[in-house]
Amino acid sequence: MSGYEAVYRRSIEQPEAFWGEAASGIDWDTAPRTVYADGRWYPDGRLNTCHNALDRHVAAGRGDQPALIHDSPVTGVTRTYTYAELLEETARTAGMLRALGVTAGDTVVIYMPMVPQAVVAMLACARLGAVHSVVFGGFAARELAVRIDHAQPKVVLSASCGIEPSRVVAYKPLLDDALEQAAHRPERCVILQRPQCRAGLAEGRDLDWAEAVAAAEPAGCVSVAATDPLYILYTSGTTGAPKGVVRDNGGHAVALHWSMANVYGAAPGEVYWAASDVGWVVGHSYIVYAPLLAGCTTVLYEGKPVGTPDPGAFWRVVAEHGVRTLFTAPTAIRAIKKEDPSGAFAKKYDLSGLRHLFLAGERLDPDTYHWASDLLGIPVIDHWWQTETGWPIAANCVGIEPLPIKPGSPTKPVPGWDVHVLDADGRDCPPGVEGAVTVRLPLPPGALPTLYRDPDRFARSYLDRYPGHYLTGDGGHFDAGGHLYVMGRIDDVINVAGHRLSTGSMEEVIAAHPDVAECAVIGVADELKGQLPMGFVVLKAGADRDPGEVERELTALVRERIGPVAAFRRAVVVSRLPKTRSGKILRATMRDIADGRPYTAPSTIEDPAALPEIETALKGS
Ligand code: COA
Ligand code: AMP
């Protein structure tokens, strides 16, 4: 078995044999005898994920190898942790959590910037068998409160501040605000004090991180079932309530370890850099877990592609740390291209060690592909995945066999993923015909087994539409050669600068404005960020307001309730929304208009004049 086709076929035809072999890449406390049963992988296996990420490498002689390089242009600090140091720090932090009463199965919310302690916190939870839930720092207090109420953490781990190029973002007041809004009360909050801004600590509830860790005894690894949850990561669905994607321990460890060699072609000891944030799935999988499970050195970069200090920032990091594999979002490359179109900054650095650039998080448009590929002269690889899947569904698996690159396509399904493009009746679409991209069950190890405390929503969101298939929510097609093209979401999820956001949650915020009668938010194409949200609002009768003022108020409201990351800045007042006679807003038609696709007004439309009004508003935007 060597070429892609043979490996792929075996993974689909004999999944148990395939994933049974892949499981040997992981150290088990109890090796699984059953590979798959009742929708769960390795149901009788036991392991500890932190042991596999740290302890086993130290035991095997990698103790002095760098495990984590924190490169922080926003603070001017670079610090390297060896595997032995990262293990020591993690064991102590786990000891601190244990002293606070955290045990296997308890949840811990982590709301932190891109500092090494965020990675340590995640691994420390894994060490105890506790379930972490990391919340991205760019979300507002209310979003944090919603997640705290759903995850019900025993402890919250946070920091005094995060650092954005333009400002220091005080995290602690956001946390305090979130805890006031939340019904759930964590027993303790442990706060990392950063020198850029110190936080006030609430007597009896808050602890100083450094003091608490210094006082703790190191804790060992707790053996958990492969099917026990490792983490919950909330992601945007089509409504305002985020979905708690659950990741198990065993399938996750096996799949991520396998992906490093086979998808990314990365070997132990190499430097692997995912320029993302630990608050997103890319950060969970490819900043923290996969590189460490594979014995690589991971880079934790606290900065931006541009402005920290210039568009050469990524190339400096690559050259300085000997990065072999770089993974980021297309929007980051577009940001660099915009400021340095000729690639002059890249030429200042020795990039000869860089072997591959992987891109994901949104569709890789062919222009960006060509620019990066011409600049770097290495394979630029688009790959497609989601928070739910945890690792790539389609990619060019360079570790198995590099396939021809077709710009605009993330190449072919990754072994384990039985991808089908289905029409409305559930039949496979012929090549070239667009449909709903689905994955035939079972999903491979590492994919979500359920949604936290909401198995019904799991079934409703992903499984009910096409029985026997997982619905990805993306639309696309295969070409005649089997290359997959993923063209965009077919639901109300949008992708802003590689960040996944729900238009539904923005609509909930806008609808709360006292002058708004009803509203719809859709994503419109943006050259830099891929998409930007745009709101269409109908004001209440008698609300004689200046549209510019309404837009400013709504912008401020979304920023306050959802967070700056939503990048909501455009809201136009319209006289009515396009609706069916039964009152359903025609969002799909609005999306067609926004994307410049031909559309036809459905025969059920209430008022045909509503669509031209949307078209005019979009043209003027
Ligand atoms: N904490 C607090 N605020 C944050 C934040 C964080 N962790 N991350 C972002 N924000 C804020 C930003 O400061 C910005 O605020 P502003 O409106 O006051 O300027 C806002 O959220 C939007 O941030 P961002 O989407 O990062 O836009 P940007 O204009 O600052 O930068 C890019 C644009 C393209 C450089 C940036 O989006 C980027 O690097 N994207 C890569 C995406 C990525 O890693 N995706 C993960 C999947 S691979
Ligand atoms: P997230 O859950 O934040 O990773 O976002 C997942 C969504 O991002 C997918 O459902 C797609 O809509 C989009 N996406 C991610 N990677 C790609 C890609 N390579 N090509 C096209 N869309 C992508």
Side-chain angles (χ1 to χ4, degrees):
M1 193 174 66
S2 57
Y4 161 80
E5 291 297 341
V7 177
Y8 182 73
R9 211 171 326 110
R10 182 155 186 269
S11 77
I12 302 302
E13 289 169 4
Q14 300 170 47
E16 295 189 37
F18 186 91
W19 291 114
E21 275 162 35
S24 65
I26 290 302
D27 276 9
W28 298 88
D29 300 326
T30 309
R33 272 172 303 159
T34 305
V35 175
Y36 181 80
D38 301 328
R40 307 305 300 265
W41 291 94
Y42 315 113
D44 56 0
R46 296 190 72 82
L47 76 161
N48 181 278
T49 296
C50 181
H51 166 86
N52 277 281
L54 298 178
D55 304 55
R56 67 165 173 165
H57 299 310
V58 174
R62 280 190 193 281
D64 294 334
Q65 180 197 308
L68 178 97
I69 300 168
H70 179 223
D71 185 307
S72 170
V74 293
T75 59
V77 173
T78 296
R79 179 166 174 198
T80 300
Y81 292 72
T82 64
Y83 267 96
E85 287 166 342
L86 195 60
L87 171 57
E88 152 78 20
E89 188 92 7
T90 301
R92 258 188 202 289
T93 304
M96 175 218 13
L97 288 172
R98 190 180 54 188
L100 297 179
V102 173
T103 58
D106 286 338
T107 50
V108 174
V109 161
I110 300 174
Y111 182 61
M112 294 186 74
M114 289 284 281
V115 291
Q117 288 82 355
V119 177
V120 165
M122 293 163 76
L123 292 165
C125 289
R127 197 168 184 81
L128 297 179
V131 183
H132 61 69
S133 187
V134 182
V135 179
F136 176 61
F139 281 124
R142 194 183 81 128
E143 291 288 321
L144 178 58
V146 167
R147 287 156 175 78
I148 287 173
D149 271 340
H150 197 266
Q152 309 253 309
K154 190 172 244 179
V155 170
V156 174
L157 301 174
S158 189
S160 55
C161 62
I163 297 147
E164 286 293 291
S166 58
R167 64 193 191 282
V168 170
V169 183
Y171 275 36
K172 183 60 178 11
L174 290 169
L175 172 61
D176 289 340
D177 187 2
L179 289 173
E180 279 204 359
Q181 295 184 43
H184 175 76
R185 295 267 160 272
E187 287 170 23
R188 294 285 187 178
C189 298
V190 186
I191 309 298
L192 178 77
Q193 296 282 18
R194 301 189 79 187
Q196 292 76 11
C197 147
R198 293 187 69 80
L201 301 183
E203 185 88 32
R205 186 195 72 190
D206 299 343
L207 295 172
D208 177 281
W209 185 299
E211 286 170 15
V213 170
E217 289 296 318
C221 291
V222 173
S223 188
V224 297
T227 51
D228 282 341
L230 170 69
Y231 69 76
I232 306 158
L233 179 56
Y234 289 93
T235 189
S236 301
T238 52
T239 66
K243 294 165 162 173
V245 167
V246 174
R247 197 82 59 211
D248 64 10
N249 274 273
H252 173 256
V254 171
L256 261 52
H257 179 265
W258 185 90
S259 74
M260 285 299 283
N262 292 282
V263 178
Y264 297 96
E270 289 181 3
V271 182
Y272 181 101
W273 176 27
S276 176
D277 189 288
V278 288
W280 305 111
V281 69
V282 175
H284 280 59
S285 292
Y286 292 104
I287 295 175
V288 183
Y289 287 109
L292 297 177
L293 286 165
C296 291
T297 301
T298 187
V299 180
L300 181 75
Y301 175 69
E302 190 181 19
K304 300 267 175 177
V306 294
T308 57
D310 58 39
F314 273 23
W315 318 130
R316 173 193 64 78
V317 174
V318 167
E320 220 164 87
H321 303 304
V323 172
R324 299 274 283 168
T325 309
L326 169 59
F327 176 173
T328 189
T331 190
I333 301 297
R334 287 197 299 270
I336 296 171
K337 177 180 160 207
K338 193 170 166 215
E339 290 201 7
D340 180 25
S342 68
F345 279 87
K347 296 187 187 100
K348 291 190 196 170
Y349 299 96
D350 175 7
L351 304 179
S352 58
L354 188 64
R355 211 172 25 186
H356 296 112
L357 169 62
F358 281 87
L359 296 170
E362 58 180 317
R363 180 161 187 267
L364 173 57
D365 53 286
D367 280 355
T368 305
Y369 164 78
H370 286 298
W371 186 81
S373 170
D374 293 348
L375 176 72
L376 299 171
I378 56 170
V380 172
I381 296 176
D382 180 14
H383 62 327
W384 166 62
W385 51 297
Q386 316 181 301
T387 304
E388 289 86 343
T389 67
W391 62 290
I393 314 168
N396 199 331
C397 295
V398 295
I400 301 174
E401 176 195 10
L403 298 175
I405 292 175
K406 296 189 186 175
S409 163
T411 315
K412 294 193 177 187
V414 169
W417 300 94
D418 191 3
V419 177
H420 290 259
V421 174
L422 302 181
D423 67 15
D425 299 323
R427 283 183 302 247
D428 279 280
C429 293
V433 174
E434 196 138 324
V437 189
T438 69
V439 183
R440 187 175 282 165
L441 302 177
L443 296 178
L448 82 170
T450 189
L451 290 178
Y452 190 59
R453 294 180 40 211
D454 210 347
D456 291 346
R457 190 175 183 194
F458 175 64
R460 244 184 4 257
S461 307
Y462 305 108
L463 306 180
D464 289 354
R465 174 67 185 85
Y466 294 107
H469 293 257
Y470 162 83
L471 182 72
T472 64
D474 282 307
H477 63 270
F478 279 110
D479 71 9
H483 271 61
L484 179 68
Y485 290 75
V486 178
M487 305 310 289
R489 299 288 304 194
I490 49 177
D491 57 15
D492 295 323
V493 168
I494 60 171
N495 213 302
V496 179
H499 308 319
R500 174 166 158 181
L501 296 162
S502 153
T503 53
S505 70
M506 294 184 215
E507 288 174 4
E508 278 180 25
V509 171
I510 293 170
H513 186 287
D515 292 331
V516 170
E518 57 180 354
C519 67
V521 175
I522 59 168
V524 299
D526 178 75
E527 233 175 65
L528 176 65
K529 296 199 174 189
Q531 280 186 303
L532 278 178
M534 181 164 173
F536 296 86
V537 295
V538 178
L539 297 183
K540 283 182 184 158
D544 185 17
R545 299 285 318 273
D546 169 43
E549 211 171 86
V550 172
E551 183 173 62
R552 279 191 295 280
E553 286 170 15
L554 294 176
T555 300
L557 207 57
V558 174
R559 191 177 172 92
E560 180 202 313
R561 302 274 173 89
I562 297 178
V565 70
F568 182 90
R569 287 192 188 91
R570 294 285 291 127
V572 285
V573 175
V574 290
S575 57
R576 55 208 167 310
L577 292 173
K579 283 193 216 167
T580 61
R581 279 192 285 275
S582 59
K584 199 170 171 302
I585 297 172
L586 294 165
R587 289 188 178 76
T589 315
M590 291 172 74
R591 283 200 300 266
D592 285 341
I593 299 176
D595 294 343
R597 282 191 294 267
Y599 71 93
T600 40
S603 58
T604 52
I605 192 162
E606 183 191 47
D607 178 356
L611 285 172
E613 195 180 351
I614 299 292
E615 214 169 339
T616 308
L618 279 163
K619 277 201 191 112
S621 73

